[in-house]
Amino acid sequence: METAIKVIKKVKPKKPILVEGLPGIGGVGRITAQYLIDQLKAEKIAELHSPYFLPFTSIQDSVIKLLKNEFYYWKNPKSKGEDLIILVGDCQCGDVSTKGHYDIVEKILDFCENLGVKKIFTLGGFGTGEIEETKDIEILGAASDEKLIEKYEKYGVDFHSSTERIQYIVGASGLLIGLGKERGMEGVCLMGETTGFPILTDPRSAEKLLKVITKILNLDIDLTKIDEKAKEMEAFLKKLEVIQEKAMKKLMPKEEGKENLRYIG
Amino acid sequence: METAIKVIKKVKPKKPILVEGLPGIGGVGRITAQYLIDQLKAEKIAELHSPYFLPFTSIQDSVIKLLKNEFYYWKNPKSKGEDLIILVGDCQCGDVSTKGHYDIVEKILDFCENLGVKKIFTLGGFGTGEIEETKDIEILGAASDEKLIEKYEKYGVDFHSSTERIQYIVGASGLLIGLGKERGMEGVCLMGETTGFPILTDPRSAEKLLKVITKILNLDIDLTKIDEKAKEMEAFLKKLEVIQEKAMKKLMPKEEGKENLRYIG
Amino acid sequence: METAIKVIKKVKPKKPILVEGLPGIGGVGRITAQYLIDQLKAEKIAELHSPYFLPFTSIQDSVIKLLKNEFYYWKNPKSKGEDLIILVGDCQCGDVSTKGHYDIVEKILDFCENLGVKKIFTLGGFGTGEIEETKDIEILGAASDEKLIEKYEKYGVDFHSSTERIQYIVGASGLLIGLGKERGMEGVCLMGETTGFPILTDPRSAEKLLKVITKILNLDIDLTKIDEKAKEMEAFLKKLEVIQEKAMKKLMPKEEGKENLRYIG
Amino acid sequence: METAIKVIKKVKPKKPILVEGLPGIGGVGRITAQYLIDQLKAEKIAELHSPYFLPFTSIQDSVIKLLKNEFYYWKNPKSKGEDLIILVGDCQCGDVSTKGHYDIVEKILDFCENLGVKKIFTLGGFGTGEIEETKDIEILGAASDEKLIEKYEKYGVDFHSSTERIQYIVGASGLLIGLGKERGMEGVCLMGETTGFPILTDPRSAEKLLKVITKILNLDIDLTKIDEKAKEMEAFLKKLEVIQEKAMKKLMPKEEGKENLRYIG
């Protein structure tokens, strides 16, 4: 078995842009990309399966599904507008070997190149390790070429901190840009600040990333629902915090009076 | 060396169904499939070897054997009945890399497709982490298509809990269904509840699974022997429990009077 | 790069037997095979290199050497006698993936098959976890076919305990027999009992294995040197034991009077 | 995707020597090779990318870069002099599987062989685990052939201790020599003594290695800058040492009067 893309519907996009949101830190890229798919009512055009995914199958509504990545297509109603190819999925490469990551990304780029993609935006989260509830969430960026920095920083993307704060991008978000450049594609990676704690997703960071990407792509999208999701998560985290403080007090009664532990995880 | 199937005897099955029982949780699938082979006196028709198996050889009766999977064939005496191809073996893929799992399953499906298989039942155990001795063992199910849920739940298979309780199937039991669907095969995975503790096998769960699968396949099989095996295991576990309670009392004499520790492992 | 054998000298052996002694438990197989090479003055005929070996190079006498396996050839002076191909080396497969083990063994068998090998003896150690200084070292055996048990047990090889005591052979010693059988070769694996402690080699077990293999192959070999090596190791272990007892007494002075700790490691 | 070398500029070197300084212990080889590139103003002629590198991309000045190795070319102004091909890079093979190491080295050797390389110098660090500030840093050596020992030891390289003190070289520094020999290339591995502590680089050891390699290659290079770097590192280590002593005193006040802990890490 090889990594392969199964075409479900043939399309002829005009000036298509790839927007990638595979699973990663805080689920930020994934939530952002899936939200675009839902709001734009993009249609599924292809599936990618790979022997480099973990050998699991998922059960959804009692039906067994192979792990997959999915390509969605949105046709821009504006005649001069750019169409979108949105990539989401269950997972990235799960193999311990490194070859799988490169193999999957090359197959994604083959597919996109055939559709005429020349621009790539990859979306992800950047784990800071901290929660500061009052802080404004920053969107950091890195690009395939320095010309793109000037072009996109006016959308509120901080390109200048990424070298020092991020240094390395792990996985598809970086490889799609790096390998895409070898094919003459220009690419920008946008990362929303998030705590980086495992398991918890970050809809608030996704909301901020959505504000930026919709401005860049000139999309008119209702952000009400993502704001609701973010509020739900914040309420859930507050409950966790209360439970944790009570538990801490039981374990260490002598600690009363000390600074309130306001962190989660 | 490649994963390869060595044909020992050529057969031309009619409407063959694949029943898979490779090693897995609690040995439930393995015991079930082997029991069918023994009771039906199925004959061995092929062996699968793979460089993705661990690099061990087993010693049986002083003879060295490569690790293998084995295919058995049972010819249904009823003229309109479905023949069976039963798959058992020493192991699944042992390689740390993920490709081996997919490679082995594809080779199994190639072999089955050539024999005309269009239906697959995979058998396994679902580890709950608990022993409740009075509880009736449930058989959970998941399928390649939702149409099959209605078709098979009347045999006492609980399809509706599997999404929430199981979520992911690891290995061949799920991949055979997922990859089999790509070849137009319909498949159902049946999992018997079991504790999931390592090393211990669960003949009682296998007995329950046998009751269900023999009904589905319309087989008339004597379940006396499996009941005996289950009783032997239950007696063995009771002895272990007694030994463990005595040991616990020695280690923690102050704990006397506390709730009797009724668990194993 | 592929696993490949570099032929240094072409030979046309008569009825050649492969004797394998690659690194393994206690170095027993390795010491035995190397001793045969030295005593018989066998000549080197080929080298095997593999990308499945660890990516190390060794430094010997200031010269850098790739990791290798080596084939030696001994021409039997008796006209009806069997020649020997003796296999030793730096290592077995070092790759985490399983494919490397099978690939290397298949390449070894290709080479041997081309030379006309039809019989294989693999040599190794079986770790018992114990030292009993007064006990006679047993040589356990397992074979490619049950007919060989009767043929070889008269040489003092215990075939009947191996199923229960050993169960699985890891690596080339077993795979050469298992995969060799697929090519119509008959094979016997001989394992000398040894403690199995890491790092320490066991020349006494190798001496016992030499006594058996030289009888089987009808070789007249002087075992004086291996007896000397075994005595050196025994003296070294006695020193270690004394040092360890003194250290134990310092750490646990209250333990005086207790049973003397007569074990190493 | 395969390991591949992208040629940026075609050159026709005369009697080129490969000098390798990929990342390794103490960064000694890397610092040495990069210093040669900078001082000689060597020009970049090729890049190597590989799916055996870790699936990361680096961010430099906000631009995303694939992990790479780089080849630089220096044309010797002396008509009878040897040109240099200097190899540096972000990383060696990052794959858990061993094949990647061999694959990358073979691709490097293919490229060098095509350019006419017949001599290789690989540069690295040898971790001793100790800091002795007054000790003179030794350069140890190992070669593809014993003839080279006599040829190069007059440059102050200690070949005779390497067998005992080093025993095994891990990675490209050794494999380039070992696999290069198979192609008729002669090679020497030069290793500067260094502490071997993780993260810290050792410009002082690189300075010593530079003194030796520039003599061997008959290069006239200004070592002022590397001396400055070494002094910066020594000042930094002294600060770390002071901080560590103060911290130790706080943690173990009873330890005052004991020997000053003069080590870092």
Side-chain angles (χ1 to χ4, degrees):
Chain A
M1 181 180 176
E2 302 284 340
T3 302
I5 293 175
K6 189 167 68 171
V7 175
I8 293 169
K9 175 172 180 171
K10 280 188 185 286
V11 293
K12 286 187 179 177
K14 68 181 182 294
K15 299 190 285 183
I17 296 174
L18 172 69
V19 177
E20 173 264 331
L22 290 170
I25 294 174
V28 179
R30 185 175 57 72
I31 294 172
T32 305
Q34 189 61 49
Y35 195 83
L36 289 175
I37 288 169
D38 296 341
Q39 291 294 316
L40 296 172
K41 300 196 196 319
E43 60 173 327
K44 183 159 146 177
I45 59 167
E47 259 183 30
L48 179 151
H49 296 117
S50 177
Y52 288 111
F53 291 155
L54 286 170
F56 297 175
T57 39
S58 66
I59 304 180
Q60 297 165 30
D61 299 324
S62 310
V63 177
I64 288 172
K65 310 255 184 187
L66 288 171
L67 296 182
K68 64 190 180 300
N69 290 171
E70 297 174 292
F71 294 88
Y72 285 80
Y73 169 62
W74 176 71
K75 190 174 166 64
N76 196 325
K78 301 176 186 156
S79 61
K80 296 206 168 181
E82 291 145 320
D83 292 348
L84 295 182
I85 306 290
I86 308 172
L87 174 63
V88 289
D90 296 317
C91 55
Q92 299 205 29
C93 167
D95 196 0
V96 289
S97 168
T98 61
K99 290 191 80 176
H101 287 271
Y102 290 88
D103 177 73
I104 290 169
V105 168
E106 292 280 36
K107 292 279 172 27
I108 290 169
L109 290 171
D110 288 342
F111 179 73
C112 289
E113 199 174 9
N114 286 343
L115 289 178
V117 167
K118 294 222 184 308
K119 272 194 207 171
I120 301 174
F121 288 91
T122 62
L123 309 174
F126 161 55
T128 60
E130 321 160 347
I131 295 182
E132 292 178 47
E133 283 164 27
T134 53
K135 183 182 182 303
D136 199 28
I137 294 172
E138 282 195 63
I139 303 299
L140 282 76
S144 58
D145 191 288
E146 54 177 8
K147 295 186 332 267
L148 300 170
I149 299 168
E150 203 190 318
K151 181 171 175 184
Y152 290 106
E153 58 185 353
K154 61 173 166 286
Y155 293 96
V157 180
D158 174 3
F159 281 91
H160 297 291
S161 308
S162 55
T163 307
E164 197 190 300
R165 292 185 69 192
I166 301 176
Q167 298 183 18
Y168 284 95
I169 302 170
V170 183
S173 292
L175 287 180
L176 280 165
I177 309 284
L179 291 171
K181 179 172 183 175
E182 304 278 313
R183 299 169 184 242
M185 298 170 180
E186 64 177 50
V188 176
C189 178
L190 301 170
M191 290 158 283
E193 278 185 318
T194 181
T195 62
F197 295 144
I199 300 173
L200 297 178
T201 58
D202 193 343
R204 189 59 76 192
S205 182
E207 183 196 38
K208 188 64 191 283
L209 192 47
L210 276 163
K211 286 178 177 168
V212 169
I213 192 68
T214 50
K215 252 194 254 153
I216 290 176
L217 298 177
N218 200 17
L219 300 171
D220 184 24
I221 279 183
D222 178 2
L223 296 179
T224 311
K225 282 201 157 65
I226 192 72
D227 178 57
E228 285 168 10
K229 290 263 173 218
K231 288 188 168 110
E232 280 176 33
M233 177 59 75
E234 280 150 9
F236 171 72
L237 292 178
K238 261 239 158 325
K239 274 193 212 166
L240 262 192
E241 205 179 319
V242 168
I243 292 172
Q244 182 161 311
E245 283 186 23
K246 289 186 182 179
M248 294 292 273
K249 285 199 175 119
K250 277 195 182 168
L251 286 169
M252 303 182 296
K254 293 186 281 300
E255 297 305 319
E256 280 204 58
K258 267 208 158 190
E259 175 176 75
N260 218 2
L261 297 157
R262 284 171 55 250
Y263 64 84
I264 310 291
Chain B
M1 182 181 176
E2 303 283 339
T3 301
I5 292 176
K6 188 168 69 172
V7 174
I8 294 170
K9 176 173 178 170
K10 281 188 184 289
V11 292
K12 289 187 176 174
K14 69 181 185 294
K15 299 191 284 184
I17 297 174
L18 173 69
V19 178
E20 173 264 332
L22 290 169
I25 294 175
V28 179
R30 184 175 58 72
I31 294 172
T32 304
Q34 190 61 51
Y35 195 83
L36 289 174
I37 287 169
D38 296 340
Q39 291 294 318
L40 297 171
K41 301 195 195 319
E43 59 173 328
K44 183 158 148 180
I45 59 168
E47 260 184 29
L48 179 151
H49 296 117
S50 177
Y52 289 110
F53 291 154
L54 287 169
F56 297 174
T57 39
S58 66
I59 304 179
Q60 298 166 29
D61 299 324
S62 311
V63 176
I64 289 172
K65 309 256 185 187
L66 289 171
L67 296 182
K68 65 190 180 299
N69 290 172
E70 297 174 293
F71 294 87
Y72 286 80
Y73 170 62
W74 175 72
K75 190 175 167 64
N76 196 324
K78 300 176 188 161
S79 61
K80 297 206 169 180
E82 291 145 319
D83 292 349
L84 296 181
I85 306 291
I86 308 173
L87 173 63
V88 290
D90 296 316
C91 55
Q92 299 206 29
C93 168
D95 196 1
V96 289
S97 168
T98 60
K99 290 192 79 176
H101 286 272
Y102 290 88
D103 176 74
I104 289 169
V105 168
E106 292 280 36
K107 293 279 172 28
I108 290 169
L109 289 171
D110 288 342
F111 179 72
C112 290
E113 199 173 10
N114 285 342
L115 289 178
V117 168
K118 295 222 184 305
K119 273 194 207 171
I120 300 173
F121 288 91
T122 62
L123 310 174
F126 162 56
T128 60
E130 320 160 350
I131 296 183
E132 291 178 45
E133 283 165 27
T134 54
K135 184 182 180 305
D136 200 27
I137 293 172
E138 282 195 63
I139 303 298
L140 281 76
S144 58
D145 191 287
E146 54 177 8
K147 294 187 333 265
L148 300 170
I149 299 169
E150 204 189 312
K151 182 171 175 184
Y152 290 106
E153 59 186 351
K154 62 176 166 284
Y155 294 95
V157 181
D158 174 3
F159 281 91
H160 297 290
S161 308
S162 56
T163 307
E164 198 189 301
R165 292 186 69 193
I166 301 174
Q167 297 181 19
Y168 284 95
I169 302 171
V170 182
S173 292
L175 287 180
L176 280 165
I177 309 284
L179 290 171
K181 180 172 182 169
E182 305 277 312
R183 299 170 185 241
M185 298 170 180
E186 64 177 49
V188 176
C189 179
L190 301 170
M191 290 158 284
E193 279 185 319
T194 181
T195 64
F197 295 144
I199 302 171
L200 297 177
T201 59
D202 193 342
R204 188 60 75 193
S205 182
E207 183 197 37
K208 188 63 191 280
L209 192 47
L210 276 162
K211 286 179 177 169
V212 169
I213 192 68
T214 51
K215 251 195 254 155
I216 290 175
L217 298 177
N218 200 14
L219 302 170
D220 184 23
I221 278 183
D222 177 2
L223 296 178
T224 311
K225 283 199 157 65
I226 192 72
D227 178 57
E228 284 168 12
K229 290 263 173 219
K231 287 186 167 114
E232 281 177 31
M233 178 58 74
E234 280 151 8
F236 171 71
L237 292 178
K238 262 236 156 333
K239 275 193 213 166
L240 261 191
E241 206 180 319
V242 168
I243 291 170
Q244 183 162 308
E245 283 186 23
K246 290 184 179 176
M248 294 291 273
K249 284 196 174 124
K250 277 194 179 166
L251 285 169
M252 303 183 294
K254 292 186 284 299
E255 298 304 320
E256 281 205 55
K258 266 206 157 192
E259 174 174 77
N260 219 3
L261 297 157
R262 285 170 56 249
Y263 64 85
I264 308 293
Chain C
M1 181 181 175
E2 302 283 341
T3 301
I5 292 176
K6 189 168 69 172
V7 175
I8 294 168
K9 175 171 179 173
K10 281 189 184 286
V11 293
K12 287 188 178 176
K14 68 182 185 292
K15 298 191 285 183
I17 296 175
L18 172 69
V19 178
E20 173 265 332
L22 290 169
I25 294 175
V28 179
R30 185 175 57 72
I31 295 172
T32 304
Q34 189 61 51
Y35 195 82
L36 289 174
I37 287 168
D38 297 339
Q39 290 294 317
L40 296 171
K41 303 197 195 319
E43 61 173 326
K44 183 159 148 178
I45 59 168
E47 259 183 30
L48 178 151
H49 296 116
S50 177
Y52 289 110
F53 290 155
L54 287 171
F56 297 175
T57 38
S58 66
I59 304 178
Q60 298 166 29
D61 300 322
S62 311
V63 176
I64 289 172
K65 309 255 184 188
L66 289 171
L67 296 182
K68 66 191 180 298
N69 290 172
E70 296 174 294
F71 294 87
Y72 285 80
Y73 169 62
W74 176 72
K75 190 173 165 67
N76 196 324
K78 301 177 188 160
S79 63
K80 296 207 168 177
E82 290 145 322
D83 291 349
L84 295 182
I85 306 290
I86 308 173
L87 173 62
V88 290
D90 295 317
C91 55
Q92 299 206 27
C93 168
D95 195 2
V96 288
S97 169
T98 61
K99 290 191 81 177
H101 287 272
Y102 290 89
D103 176 74
I104 290 169
V105 168
E106 293 280 35
K107 292 281 173 23
I108 290 169
L109 289 171
D110 288 342
F111 178 73
C112 290
E113 199 173 10
N114 286 343
L115 290 178
V117 167
K118 295 222 184 305
K119 273 194 206 171
I120 301 173
F121 288 91
T122 62
L123 309 175
F126 161 56
T128 61
E130 322 161 347
I131 295 182
E132 294 179 45
E133 284 165 26
T134 53
K135 183 182 183 305
D136 200 28
I137 295 171
E138 283 195 61
I139 303 299
L140 281 78
S144 58
D145 190 288
E146 52 177 11
K147 297 189 326 269
L148 300 170
I149 298 168
E150 204 188 315
K151 180 172 177 184
Y152 290 106
E153 58 186 353
K154 60 176 166 285
Y155 293 96
V157 180
D158 175 3
F159 281 91
H160 296 290
S161 307
S162 56
T163 307
E164 197 188 301
R165 294 186 68 194
I166 301 175
Q167 298 182 19
Y168 285 95
I169 302 171
V170 182
S173 292
L175 287 180
L176 280 166
I177 308 284
L179 291 171
K181 180 174 182 170
E182 306 277 312
R183 300 169 185 242
M185 298 170 180
E186 64 177 52
V188 176
C189 178
L190 301 170
M191 291 158 283
E193 277 186 319
T194 181
T195 63
F197 296 143
I199 302 171
L200 298 177
T201 59
D202 193 342
R204 189 58 77 193
S205 183
E207 183 197 37
K208 188 63 191 280
L209 193 47
L210 277 162
K211 285 179 178 170
V212 169
I213 192 68
T214 50
K215 253 195 254 156
I216 291 176
L217 298 177
N218 200 14
L219 301 170
D220 184 24
I221 279 183
D222 177 2
L223 296 178
T224 310
K225 283 200 157 63
I226 192 74
D227 177 56
E228 283 168 14
K229 289 264 173 217
K231 287 187 167 112
E232 279 176 34
M233 178 59 74
E234 281 151 7
F236 171 72
L237 292 178
K238 262 242 156 332
K239 274 194 213 164
L240 261 192
E241 204 178 321
V242 169
I243 291 170
Q244 182 161 310
E245 283 187 23
K246 288 185 179 175
M248 294 291 274
K249 284 197 174 122
K250 276 195 181 165
L251 285 169
M252 304 183 292
K254 292 185 284 299
E255 297 305 319
E256 280 204 55
K258 265 206 159 195
E259 173 175 78
N260 218 3
L261 297 158
R262 287 173 49 252
Y263 65 85
I264 308 295
Chain D
M1 181 181 175
E2 303 283 340
T3 302
I5 293 176
K6 189 167 68 171
V7 174
I8 293 168
K9 176 171 178 175
K10 281 189 183 285
V11 293
K12 287 186 177 179
K14 70 182 182 291
K15 299 190 286 183
I17 296 174
L18 172 70
V19 178
E20 173 265 330
L22 290 169
I25 294 174
V28 178
R30 185 174 58 71
I31 294 172
T32 303
Q34 189 62 51
Y35 195 82
L36 289 174
I37 288 169
D38 297 339
Q39 290 295 316
L40 296 172
K41 303 199 194 318
E43 60 172 329
K44 183 159 148 178
I45 59 168
E47 260 183 31
L48 179 150
H49 295 116
S50 177
Y52 289 110
F53 290 156
L54 286 170
F56 298 173
T57 39
S58 65
I59 304 178
Q60 298 165 30
D61 301 322
S62 311
V63 175
I64 289 173
K65 310 255 184 187
L66 289 172
L67 296 182
K68 65 191 179 299
N69 291 171
E70 297 174 292
F71 294 87
Y72 286 80
Y73 169 62
W74 176 72
K75 188 173 167 65
N76 196 324
K78 300 177 189 156
S79 62
K80 297 207 166 178
E82 289 146 321
D83 292 348
L84 295 182
I85 306 289
I86 308 173
L87 173 63
V88 289
D90 296 317
C91 55
Q92 299 206 28
C93 168
D95 195 2
V96 288
S97 169
T98 60
K99 289 191 80 175
H101 286 271
Y102 290 89
D103 176 73
I104 290 169
V105 168
E106 292 280 36
K107 293 279 171 29
I108 291 168
L109 290 171
D110 288 342
F111 178 73
C112 289
E113 198 172 8
N114 286 343
L115 289 178
V117 167
K118 296 223 184 307
K119 273 194 207 171
I120 301 174
F121 288 92
T122 62
L123 309 174
F126 161 55
T128 60
E130 323 161 346
I131 295 181
E132 291 178 47
E133 283 163 28
T134 52
K135 183 181 183 302
D136 200 28
I137 294 172
E138 283 195 61
I139 302 300
L140 282 75
S144 58
D145 191 287
E146 52 178 9
K147 296 188 327 268
L148 300 170
I149 299 168
E150 203 188 316
K151 181 172 177 184
Y152 290 106
E153 58 185 353
K154 61 176 165 285
Y155 292 96
V157 181
D158 175 3
F159 282 90
H160 297 290
S161 307
S162 56
T163 307
E164 198 190 300
R165 293 186 68 193
I166 302 175
Q167 298 184 18
Y168 284 95
I169 302 170
V170 182
S173 293
L175 287 180
L176 281 165
I177 308 285
L179 291 171
K181 181 172 182 173
E182 305 277 312
R183 299 169 185 243
M185 298 170 180
E186 63 178 52
V188 176
C189 178
L190 300 169
M191 290 159 283
E193 277 186 318
T194 180
T195 62
F197 294 144
I199 302 172
L200 298 177
T201 59
D202 193 342
R204 189 60 75 193
S205 182
E207 183 197 38
K208 188 62 191 282
L209 192 47
L210 276 162
K211 285 179 179 169
V212 169
I213 193 69
T214 50
K215 252 193 256 156
I216 290 176
L217 299 176
N218 200 16
L219 302 170
D220 184 24
I221 278 183
D222 178 2
L223 295 180
T224 311
K225 282 201 158 62
I226 192 72
D227 178 57
E228 284 168 12
K229 290 264 173 215
K231 288 189 168 110
E232 279 177 32
M233 178 58 74
E234 281 150 8
F236 171 73
L237 291 178
K238 261 245 159 321
K239 274 194 211 165
L240 260 191
E241 203 179 322
V242 167
I243 292 171
Q244 182 160 311
E245 283 187 22
K246 289 185 180 178
M248 294 291 274
K249 285 200 175 119
K250 276 196 182 168
L251 286 171
M252 303 183 294
K254 293 185 281 300
E255 297 306 318
E256 281 201 57
K258 267 209 156 186
E259 173 176 76
N260 219 2
L261 296 158
R262 286 171 52 251
Y263 65 85
I264 309 293

